[in-house]
Amino acid sequence: MDNALLTVYRTTDYRVRLAPGGWASIHVDAALPAPLLALIGNRSWAFITAWNPGSQAQPRARNHAAQQNLIAALRELPRTVSIRPGLGVGVDWREPSFFVVGPDLNDIDRLAQQFQQFAYVHGLGKGAARLRLTSDRAPHGQAG
């Protein structure tokens, strides 16, 4: 993965739709906003998409179908407590996403690889949001 793509992932505004309306934004290496902390408690969470596998633009219909498959897979995970709609927002792009509470990293890693995503954002409880790389090639795991 090149540094430009890594920078895009790190600077994206990861927005989570709140139940009463509006959005809460997640930023890599920052603490979660209070409305999301109230939602997750001490559990693990992830912000993930199936949109544009391999960071390559895909037709809307293909992205939509992949996203439907991802939400079905998230619902089947035994530890899933909550799934909220999300939106990854970059300088000139947007990707529908999901904020999921409960699943562990192994489950999310597997789904990210299944849906050909190079990275996703995750955390645990009050800890900071972290960018996790999913490629089989180095670097793998936490993005430094």
Side-chain angles (χ1 to χ4, degrees):
M1 177 180 313
D2 65 27
N3 286 334
L5 186 55
L6 199 54
T7 298
V8 168
Y9 291 152
R10 289 187 155 292
T11 59
T12 294
D13 183 11
Y14 299 97
R15 297 178 185 172
V16 178
R17 185 78 171 145
L18 300 174
W23 300 86
S25 290
I26 298 171
H27 298 281
V28 173
D29 295 331
L32 288 183
L36 296 180
L37 287 174
L39 183 65
I40 65 166
N42 289 323
R43 293 184 286 271
S44 61
W45 61 268
F47 189 98
I48 187 170
T49 188
W51 211 262
N52 296 325
S55 292
Q56 298 296 313
Q58 298 294 313
R60 186 171 186 79
R62 185 176 295 160
N63 281 328
H64 182 70
Q67 200 74 342
Q68 293 304 308
N69 290 333
L70 175 58
I71 195 167
L74 290 169
R75 287 177 176 147
E76 290 177 6
L77 295 176
R79 293 185 183 97
T80 297
V81 174
S82 174
I83 303 171
R84 305 280 322 144
L87 188 64
V89 179
V91 173
D92 58 357
W93 57 271
R94 293 171 178 257
E95 288 183 344
S97 305
F98 298 111
F99 179 75
V100 59
V101 178
D104 64 25
L105 282 177
N106 291 331
D107 288 334
I108 300 299
D109 280 349
R110 182 179 50 77
L111 289 177
Q113 289 171 355
Q114 176 183 339
F115 289 94
Q116 301 174 33
Q117 298 299 307
F118 289 153
Y120 64 90
V121 178
H122 75 97
L124 177 63
K126 293 181 180 181
R130 297 289 181 223
L131 181 64
R132 185 160 175 89
L133 306 178
T134 59
S135 171
D136 291 335
R137 292 171 288 167
H140 178 78
Q142 294 305 117

